[in-house]
């Protein structure tokens, strides 16, 4: 009996070994698959009539064909864009909170739908950034104009702050930090420093541009301010109080930033894209893409870098802020990011679209593919995917539910 048991055990181990070898592509160490479910969240709605109501709907696979984004389980939500991290969707404000831009977390419930499950009061027009599962950063102007608040995204509880009051430059009547940009790379946090010559906040619509931008650099591990970096020949970086802060972390490890270039006197430098390379903590002073080199007065509002290509959008005419949501004149382009002097190559077979504005996923990489948001008319309101030779094909079109304002992938691990 003991002998038969031994033989059966050896046989079972042998068969298991064959199966493991076949499933792991001859790898001696079999791959352990985590039990996860992928969801794709789509935000649509109206941004022309306050309170800008829309709908966030989840899908278990990337939608295709013509779809209705309002269905059983869709979440009524404000349509000022969204951000995502892991299994969560994050947004500023909500339908119930118009006077304060609360930072809100949404998760996928047992039915596979988004639900609100965390909230932090963060003041009006605040920005935020999720660093990992237990650390995020946000601005709460009600607490301080020169402190970045910290919080735990898992518990949605504030956990302290980073005091940057030492950077205060008295030559400016007003300064704040993090209103337009909060982002991190390789253990360093970068926050914009907004300066106004007058003793009041103002904004880029009425302030005189300074002709340069500054970022404070903070070591995340210690929470200590390290230095201030400066980039000439641009006037703005990021965007205040916006889900789309106009930056992208490339697959090359570099941070790429859009300078929108518009405002009352923003044309002093025009729009541009600049970067901080992997391994560096200062701007790449020898690298810049200027929008005016291609169309005078157009504006960069989105950037995505993948496989040595930089993708962005440009208009055939100067941007007018009054028609920003309806001006259908933007096309998508690809640059060789290490040889930008070659100029852009237009992505073909893709319709004209509007300015990205508050859509943080205007160009987004999902499942190793690059997707482009197109908002044009009823039959061109969705996403296109990049194919071969700088061409794109339509993936899905939203026939009902409003204009597309975001699309992201969520990875939910089993409990």
């Amino acid at each position: 009996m003991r002998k038969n048991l031994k033989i059966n055990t050896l046989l079972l181990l042998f068969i298991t070994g064959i199966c493991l070898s076949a499933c792991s592509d001859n790898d001696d160490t079999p791959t352990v698959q985590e039990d996860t479910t992928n969801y794709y969240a789509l935000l649509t709605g109206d941004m022309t009539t306050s309170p800008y109501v829309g709908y966030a709907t989840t899908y278990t696979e990337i939608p295709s064909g013509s779809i209705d984004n309002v269905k059983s389980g869709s979440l009524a939500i404000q349509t000022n864009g969204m951000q995502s991290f892991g299994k969560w969707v994050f947004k500023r404000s909500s339908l119930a909170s118009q006077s304060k831009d609360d930072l809100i977390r949404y998760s996928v419930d047992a039915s596979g739908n988004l639900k609100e499950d965390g909230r932090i009061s963060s003041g009006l027009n605040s920005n935020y950034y999720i660093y990992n599962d237990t650390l995020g950063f946000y601005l709460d102007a009600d607490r301080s104009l020169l402190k970045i608040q910290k919080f735990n995204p898992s518990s949605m509880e504030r956990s302290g702050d980073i005091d940057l009051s030492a950077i205060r430059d008295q030559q400016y009547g007003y300064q704040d930090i993090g209103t337009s940009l909060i982002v991190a790379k390789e253990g360093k946090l970068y926050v914009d420093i907004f300066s106004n010559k007058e003793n009041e906040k103002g904004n880029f619509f009425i302030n005189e541009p300074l002709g340069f931008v500054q970022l404070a650099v903070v070591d995340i591990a210690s929470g200590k301010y390290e230095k201030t970096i400066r980039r000439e020949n641009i006037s703005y970086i990021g965007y205040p109080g916006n889900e789309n802060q106009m930056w992208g972390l490339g697959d090359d490890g570099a941070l790429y930033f859009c300078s929108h270039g518009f405002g009352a006197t923003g044309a002093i430098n025009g729009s541009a894209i600049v970067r901080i390379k992997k391994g560096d903590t200062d701007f790449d002073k020898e690298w810049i893409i200027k929008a005016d080199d291609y169309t005078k007065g157009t504006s960069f509002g989105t950037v995505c870098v993948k496989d040595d290509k930089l993708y962005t959008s440009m208009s055939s005419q100067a941007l007018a802020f009054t028609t920003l949501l309806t001006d259908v004149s933007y096309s998508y382009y690809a640059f060789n990011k290490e040889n930008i002097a070659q100029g852009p190559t237009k992505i073909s077979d893709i319709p004209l679209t509007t300015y990205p504005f508050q859509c943080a996923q205007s160009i987004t990489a999902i499942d190793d593919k690059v997707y482009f948001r197109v908002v044009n008319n009823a039959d061109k309101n969705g996403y296109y995917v990049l194919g071969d030779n700088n061409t794109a094909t339509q993936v899905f079109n939203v026939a009902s539910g409003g204009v597309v304002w975001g699309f992201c992938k969520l990875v939910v691990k089993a409990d």
Side-chain angles (χ1 to χ4, degrees), residues 44 47 109 121 189 198 236 271 347:
T44 60
M47 278 197 69
D109 65 16
S121 180
L189 187 70
E198 304 298 328
Y236 308 108
S271 180
I347 308 298

Side-chain angles (χ1 to χ4, degrees), residues 97-389:
S97 178
Q98 298 297 318
S99 61
K100 285 269 188 185
D101 280 341
D102 292 353
L103 175 55
I104 309 171
R105 188 187 74 187
Y106 301 88
S107 296
V108 178
D109 65 16
S111 300
N113 302 312
L114 286 176
K115 66 174 183 179
E116 178 185 332
D117 66 351
R119 179 185 290 243
I120 293 177
S121 180
S122 59
L124 188 62
N125 291 329
S126 63
N127 277 320
Y128 64 93
Y129 173 76
I130 313 302
Y131 183 64
N132 59 32
D133 286 351
T134 58
L135 181 59
F137 304 92
Y138 68 101
L139 174 69
D140 186 345
D142 291 344
R143 287 181 179 270
S144 175
L145 295 174
L146 295 172
K147 291 181 180 179
I148 296 295
Q149 306 300 316
K150 300 192 297 183
F151 76 104
N152 184 330
S154 293
S155 64
M156 289 300 286
E157 295 177 340
R158 181 177 171 275
S159 57
D161 58 46
I162 297 173
D163 189 351
L164 296 177
S165 57
I167 70 170
R168 183 71 171 95
D169 188 341
Q170 296 301 326
Q171 71 171 302
Y172 299 106
Y174 173 92
Q175 281 189 310
D176 63 33
I177 59 170
T179 53
S180 294
L181 183 73
I182 306 174
V183 68
K185 176 181 74 72
E186 300 174 300
K188 306 297 181 184
L189 187 70
Y190 300 86
V191 298
D192 76 290
I193 303 171
F194 179 85
S195 303
N196 184 6
K197 293 179 180 179
E198 304 298 328
N199 190 24
E200 58 184 34
K201 181 179 179 180
N203 57 49
F204 57 80
F205 289 112
I206 60 176
N207 289 350
E208 179 185 348
L210 301 177
F212 62 87
V213 298
Q214 291 180 311
L215 301 181
V217 183
V218 177
D219 179 71
I220 293 176
S222 66
K224 301 298 184 182
Y225 165 77
E226 290 191 345
K227 62 181 177 180
T228 295
I229 60 176
R230 176 167 165 154
R231 186 57 163 93
E232 306 288 344
N233 301 318
I234 59 175
S235 294
Y236 308 108
I237 196 166
Y239 195 94
N242 198 338
E243 300 290 351
N244 176 20
Q245 289 185 296
M246 301 185 181
W247 61 266
L249 180 62
D251 63 355
D252 59 353
L255 272 174
Y256 293 82
F257 307 94
C258 294
S259 173
H260 53 71
F262 53 80
T265 55
I268 186 173
N269 280 322
S271 180
I273 298 175
V274 295
R275 72 178 180 182
I276 300 174
K277 296 175 68 174
K278 180 180 179 180
D280 290 340
T281 57
D282 201 349
F283 288 108
D284 182 350
K285 302 296 177 59
E286 305 302 320
W287 192 100
I288 186 170
I289 300 176
K290 296 182 178 180
D292 283 356
D293 288 346
Y294 308 102
T295 300
K296 183 72 172 178
T298 189
S299 175
F300 293 128
T302 182
V303 60
C304 177
V305 171
K306 188 176 187 305
D307 299 331
D308 295 324
K309 295 291 183 67
L310 181 148
Y311 300 97
T312 189
S313 64
M314 289 185 287
S315 174
S316 58
Q317 60 195 40
L319 180 142
F321 198 83
T322 55
T323 58
L324 179 144
L325 296 176
T326 57
D327 179 12
V328 183
S329 63
Y330 278 78
S331 298
Y332 289 104
Y333 294 87
F335 284 84
N336 180 332
K337 69 180 182 65
E338 300 304 333
N339 191 358
I340 55 178
Q342 288 182 343
T345 299
K346 188 175 181 179
I347 308 298
S348 59
D349 300 329
I350 187 168
L352 294 173
T353 185
T354 56
Y355 190 70
F357 193 43
Q358 296 206 27
C359 181
Q361 301 86 28
S362 181
I363 309 176
T364 184
I366 298 178
D367 297 334
D368 206 37
K369 296 181 179 179
V370 179
Y371 291 83
F372 303 93
R373 168 185 177 265
V374 171
V375 173
N376 190 312
N377 54 43
D379 63 341
K380 298 179 181 66
N381 176 36
Y383 275 83
Y384 284 63
V385 65
L386 183 68
D388 296 329
N389 301 317

